[in-house]
Amino acid sequence: MTHGSPRFVVDLRDPAGPGSADSVTGDSMEALKVLDDEQEWSAFSRPDAARPGCWESNVMIEGMHCAACALTVEDALSSIPGVVSAEVSAGSQRAKVVWETQSVVPSRWMQAVRDSGYRAVPANDAFARERRRVESRKALWRLMVAGLCMMQVMMYALPAYVATPGDLTPEMEHLLRWASWVLTLPVILFSCSPFFANAWRDIVHRRVSMDLPVALGMLITFVMSTAGTFNPDGIFGREVYFDSLTMFVFFLLAGRWFELRLRDRTAGALEALMNRLPDSVARQISDGEFERVPIRRLKKGDVIQVRPGEAFPADGVVVRGQTSVDESLLTGESRPLARAEGDEVISGSHNLAAVVLARVERVGDETRFAQIVSLMESASTTKPQLAKLADTIAKPFLIGVLIAAALSCALWWSTDPERALMVAVSVLVVTCPCALSLATPAAMLSAAGALARRGVLVRRLDAFEALAAVDTVMFDKTGTLTRDAMVLGTTQVAEGVDPVQALAMAAALAQHSLHPASRALLAAAQQHGLLGPWRVSDLTEVSGRGLTARLTLASDAAQVAELRLGSAEHCGVQQSQSNALQVFLSDKQRWLATFELKEDVRPDAVATIAALKARGLQVHLLSGDASDAARRVARAVGIDDFKGQCSPQDKLDFLRQAQENGHKIAVVGDGLNDGPILAGAHASFAFGQAVPLAQAQADFLVSGSRLADVEVAIGLSKRTLMVVKQNLWWAAAYNAICVPLAVAGMLPAWLAGIGMASSSLLVVANALRLSRAQPMNKEN
């Protein structure tokens, strides 16, 4: 977890690799103990706000291949006194561990993972990418060796398949078997080594994972074929299966390699975000010079220099220079954004154009970057209900596989011992539940990644299940359907007053105030290029009422006016009957103009509401503002059911009543005063950049300004559940068809290997369609 700190650089690499007997060495133990220093905890952990005295750590688990592996790691972590909870995801190969600082240290529970045959490393470990690259290279070498040997073994096996009786002499047939045996040895000793190592680990720890039945199948086939090679006249001498074995290993390794590549893409995407901050930054010192310091030493008020190509290490404000920044990974905005003096910059965004100086405003866990990383890490380790169900049945299913293989062997043994063993091998191979365990997390992680690229962060993966079932969407108004700022609507002027001139004079006063109404008038004048002709002097502001000043025309000093801008009382005019917010302009003699302000409805609000209705969803607007204001916005965006003057309790009562009537509600709010309904809804969205992301109650956090992302998320959740069901049905149908065929002796081992590898690849490839479903859009 990179919360404003540099990447973790303690080298936890083990030459022997995960799962080997030599993994736990003295050097690695010393490296783990470095993590016990409290100053290092922030590099991969954060205090748990819900549990005083506890920390939450996110780590990568290396060496896992299936749901049974994840359950094994969870059991190992949970068995350590002081570990409050542990969640391990086989799909993302990550774990979230909550532990008590008074009872246990990180090296203790990480060592427990090592003792179980896997490796836990900090989620932002600087060597993680290198280890994945090394592992991918090893997997490719194993695959290439298996492929080369398979082709040669198939060449030697072909004569036995095509020859007619008498074409091959016993000596020639024996020679071909010996050649096949020699070519199979590199496959067994090198290509199959991870399967045997993991199976031995399972046996030592008295547990079962996917590699155990696979390794048993490989070993039985090789031993039986070896016996047939050395003793052609024995009970196993009728036929050898080196071709089936090498083909099975090749296809299985091909599936593993492709799966490793796909997982590397998923891990790399999260890593690209987590490792986005630099290790150090140039900080200005008292004499105006700059010194290079680690970013963990930054504090609020520091002035830092950020060069082109560098990332901003903290949230801050530009104090010198102007540039453009890339915030695509943080907000989903794909265009470079201009930043000048006074503009805010967020940590993790990239400086693209020029050197700028920025004053640090927020560091560490307070930054939006840290909150986004925390949410993504949390989502990558959560388990949807369907995935928990698959994990629950994974171990019993594997035990059932071993029993089914033994019973199949016993059933065939009396008639054909050689075929009995091959039937057992086919059952062992074909029934591995890899596709079943990957079906749900692969799809949901892919969908979460697609939303993250749009700037929509998923706090819980199981929120996809809830969101796919909603039939009603309830919107807040201010900050959700509308922007926080107001805009100028209609302008009324006195007889003989030019509306353009009135707006220019009002803006000249308004630019000296921070009131939202003044900001709206100033923005309208800037849009029409009306700033500049008037000079302001003797300005006074009465808080909450208005401004008074003397205005002089820049081109003609003789033209002087004393004006008031603000409320009707401040300007000495009669209040109109309109319910809209009005700002008045007057001089000493009379009323000059009335500016009616309206809420700035988001440009994509109308299209979003129409798209939701087209999906058959009911749409409601509940607002705390006056009923007239709620009515205007509802009519502007196309919502028929609306209600104003709603307190947070009123909104919660509406939500509960709708739920009692059988509706499933998605709530979209600004996250500021909508906490109760965001927490009580079936699915919820917190909208707006001002939301405290780490403490929000929402399931989905929209960090950009596109309201359309709500409709996109609902549509994607429905497609995600459809893909999950497709994957589960495929996994179930595959086993329902192939297991009886294997038991009946109609499915050879090599074909069983192809089926198992293909089923896993099909599940992952089907899930990857979701990651390409939603490209990033331009910010509205």
Side-chain angles (χ1 to χ4, degrees):
M1 187 178 303
T2 313
H3 290 176
S5 60
R7 292 183 292 277
F8 199 79
V9 295
V10 176
D11 191 352
L12 298 176
R13 291 174 292 180
D14 286 329
S20 66
D22 298 328
S23 290
V24 183
T25 63
D27 290 341
S28 64
M29 281 297 298
E30 290 300 319
L32 284 179
K33 288 182 179 179
V34 173
L35 305 180
D36 296 340
D37 186 347
E38 188 171 351
Q39 295 182 354
E40 301 293 342
W41 293 354
S42 61
F44 63 100
S45 309
R46 67 173 182 270
D48 191 328
R51 304 178 181 91
C54 293
W55 280 62
E56 177 186 300
S57 299
N58 277 271
V59 295
M60 294 183 297
I61 306 296
E62 298 180 347
M64 292 196 306
H65 295 289
C66 64
C69 299
L71 289 176
T72 297
V73 176
E74 281 187 1
D75 292 342
L77 288 168
S78 300
S79 66
I80 303 301
V83 173
V84 178
S85 65
E87 291 184 66
V88 183
S89 169
S92 63
Q93 293 194 317
R94 287 176 173 268
K96 181 173 68 176
V97 185
V98 178
W99 48 282
E100 296 176 343
T101 57
Q102 299 298 320
S103 304
V104 69
V105 290
S107 64
R108 177 68 186 92
W109 51 262
M110 284 192 177
Q111 182 59 43
V113 176
R114 284 176 176 262
D115 291 342
S116 67
Y118 303 90
R119 181 190 290 116
V121 296
N124 59 330
D125 180 32
F127 294 102
R129 185 181 296 274
E130 179 185 346
R131 280 197 300 273
R132 288 205 310 271
R133 186 167 56 248
V134 170
E135 183 60 28
S136 180
R137 191 181 301 120
K138 287 181 179 179
L140 183 58
W141 271 108
R142 295 187 189 103
L143 174 63
M144 292 170 60
V145 169
L148 178 63
C149 293
M150 177 197 71
M151 290 187 291
Q152 297 300 315
V153 170
M154 290 297 295
M155 182 180 69
Y156 291 132
L158 183 61
Y161 287 108
V162 301
T164 59
D167 287 348
L168 286 178
T169 63
E171 292 79 11
M172 179 60 69
E173 185 175 357
H174 199 201
L175 179 62
L176 293 176
R177 288 188 178 186
W178 272 102
S180 298
W181 181 80
V182 170
L183 288 167
T184 305
L185 282 178
V187 177
I188 291 295
L189 298 177
F190 177 67
S191 297
C192 298
S193 58
F195 299 103
F196 292 132
N198 293 337
W200 179 250
R201 175 197 63 197
D202 291 341
I203 294 172
V204 168
H205 291 91
R206 297 180 181 179
R207 61 171 185 256
V208 61
S209 72
M210 192 191 75
D211 285 335
L212 181 57
V214 170
L216 282 176
M218 293 174 180
L219 186 62
I220 291 172
T221 305
F222 181 72
V223 170
M224 185 177 65
S225 299
T226 299
T229 301
F230 281 81
N231 184 16
D233 298 325
I235 60 172
F236 302 121
R238 185 181 62 189
E239 189 175 357
V240 294
Y241 300 91
F242 295 119
D243 53 337
S244 296
L245 174 60
T246 53
M247 187 181 297
F248 159 58
V249 172
F250 172 76
F251 283 112
L252 183 58
L253 288 175
R256 284 281 178 94
W257 185 75
F258 281 115
E259 185 182 326
L260 185 66
R261 296 286 294 178
L262 294 173
R263 284 183 173 179
D264 185 59
R265 281 176 52 186
T266 303
L270 183 56
E271 229 175 49
L273 177 64
M274 292 178 59
N275 295 336
R276 199 171 172 87
L277 297 188
D279 293 326
S280 61
V281 67
R283 181 176 64 181
Q284 193 173 46
I285 53 180
S286 56
D287 60 359
E289 297 296 322
F290 292 89
E291 62 174 350
R292 203 78 186 174
V293 297
I295 65 171
R296 70 172 64 189
R297 291 175 56 185
L298 290 179
K299 58 183 181 296
K300 184 177 180 180
D302 285 345
V303 175
I304 58 175
Q305 182 187 68
V306 183
R307 299 185 179 93
E310 293 182 341
F312 289 91
D315 292 353
V317 176
V318 177
V319 295
R320 185 187 302 171
Q322 57 184 11
T323 186
S324 58
V325 299
D326 174 15
E327 297 182 356
S328 57
L329 276 181
L330 304 174
T331 65
E333 170 55 69
S334 59
R335 297 172 299 180
L337 303 175
R339 293 290 183 264
E341 293 184 18
D343 292 336
E344 291 188 355
V345 288
I346 58 177
S347 59
S349 60
H350 268 114
N351 182 12
L352 299 178
V355 177
V356 294
L357 300 185
R359 183 178 64 252
V360 174
E361 298 289 333
R362 290 179 295 275
V363 296
D365 290 343
E366 297 178 356
T367 64
R368 289 187 62 212
F369 174 80
Q371 295 164 2
I372 289 171
V373 170
S374 173
L375 291 169
M376 291 188 69
E377 288 180 330
S378 178
S380 69
T381 55
T382 56
K383 290 184 180 181
Q385 292 300 320
L386 291 174
K388 291 179 179 179
L389 177 62
D391 289 357
T392 301
I393 66 174
K395 282 190 175 181
F397 186 85
L398 284 171
I399 295 173
V401 167
L402 297 176
I403 295 174
L407 293 176
S408 301
C409 182
L411 181 66
W412 281 88
W413 187 266
S414 59
T415 57
D416 191 342
E418 185 176 8
R419 191 173 185 184
L421 289 175
M422 291 309 297
V423 167
V425 169
S426 297
V427 173
L428 288 171
V429 171
V430 80
T431 52
C432 286
C434 189
L436 184 66
S437 63
L438 286 174
T440 299
M444 292 191 176
L445 284 171
S446 184
L451 288 180
R453 287 193 293 275
R454 293 184 61 94
V456 181
L457 306 177
V458 184
R459 294 183 69 238
R460 300 181 297 107
L461 288 183
D462 53 1
F464 281 113
E465 298 177 39
L467 185 60
V470 300
D471 56 23
T472 304
V473 183
M474 191 180 83
F475 284 94
D476 179 42
K477 180 176 70 67
T478 306
T480 305
L481 288 173
T482 65
R483 301 182 191 271
D484 293 331
M486 307 196 75
V487 294
L488 178 62
T490 59
T491 301
Q492 299 176 8
V493 295
E495 185 177 354
V497 177
D498 182 4
V500 174
Q501 190 78 344
L503 179 58
M505 291 188 293
L509 288 169
Q511 65 183 331
H512 297 282
S513 172
L514 296 177
H515 192 279
S518 297
R519 298 291 92 188
L521 291 174
L522 180 61
Q526 289 174 331
Q527 185 177 358
H528 293 88
L530 300 180
L531 291 182
W534 294 96
R535 303 286 176 84
V536 177
S537 60
D538 300 332
L539 183 138
T540 59
E541 180 175 8
V542 179
S543 179
R545 298 181 62 185
L547 300 155
T548 302
R550 177 189 292 268
L551 268 67
T552 306
L553 190 63
S555 59
D556 186 358
Q559 292 197 33
V560 179
E562 293 187 9
L563 299 179
R564 294 181 179 182
L565 178 72
S567 65
E569 181 183 4
H570 179 73
C571 296
V573 300
Q574 184 175 357
Q575 177 71 49
S576 70
Q577 298 300 316
S578 174
N579 290 318
L581 175 61
Q582 293 179 327
V583 179
F584 300 91
L585 179 70
S586 67
D587 59 15
K588 287 186 174 181
Q589 289 77 33
R590 60 172 181 154
W591 162 78
L592 298 177
T594 300
F595 305 98
E596 186 171 295
L597 303 181
K598 63 180 183 179
E599 292 180 288
D600 186 13
V601 176
R602 295 185 184 274
D604 59 346
V606 175
T608 300
I609 300 303
L612 292 173
K613 288 183 176 180
R615 290 187 175 277
L617 302 175
Q618 299 181 37
V619 182
H620 295 266
L621 168 62
L622 271 69
S623 173
D625 285 355
S627 297
D628 288 340
R631 180 183 296 106
R632 281 196 300 270
V633 172
R635 288 177 176 175
V637 301
I639 295 179
D640 300 320
D641 299 309
F642 60 89
K643 186 178 181 182
Q645 296 180 320
C646 294
S647 67
Q649 185 61 47
D650 293 334
K651 294 181 180 181
L652 188 60
D653 292 341
F654 176 89
L655 174 69
R656 288 173 175 170
Q657 184 61 48
Q659 290 174 336
E660 289 177 2
N661 293 335
H663 293 288
K664 297 187 182 300
I665 315 292
V667 172
V668 187
D670 62 5
L672 299 176
N673 59 355
D674 296 322
I677 56 171
L678 289 174
H682 289 87
S684 52
F685 293 80
F687 212 90
Q689 297 183 359
V691 177
L693 294 178
Q695 301 170 354
Q697 297 294 325
D699 302 313
F700 299 87
L701 303 176
V702 185
S703 59
S705 62
R706 291 183 302 268
L707 194 65
D709 286 338
V710 173
E711 191 273 333
V712 168
I714 292 175
L716 186 58
S717 68
K718 293 181 181 295
R719 287 194 293 277
T720 301
L721 264 292
M722 181 179 67
V723 168
V724 167
K725 291 176 181 178
Q726 289 173 349
N727 287 347
L728 291 174
W729 275 109
W730 161 251
Y734 160 76
N735 281 282
I737 294 172
C738 293
V739 171
L741 292 177
V743 172
M746 300 172 63
L747 193 69
W750 64 269
L751 189 57
I754 294 176
M756 191 194 77
S758 299
S759 64
S760 298
L761 284 177
L762 181 63
V763 162
V764 175
N766 193 31
L768 280 179
R769 294 190 299 119
L770 296 168
S771 67
R772 297 188 294 270
Q774 301 298 331
M776 289 189 298
N777 290 342
K778 301 295 186 185
E779 196 75 56
N780 291 311

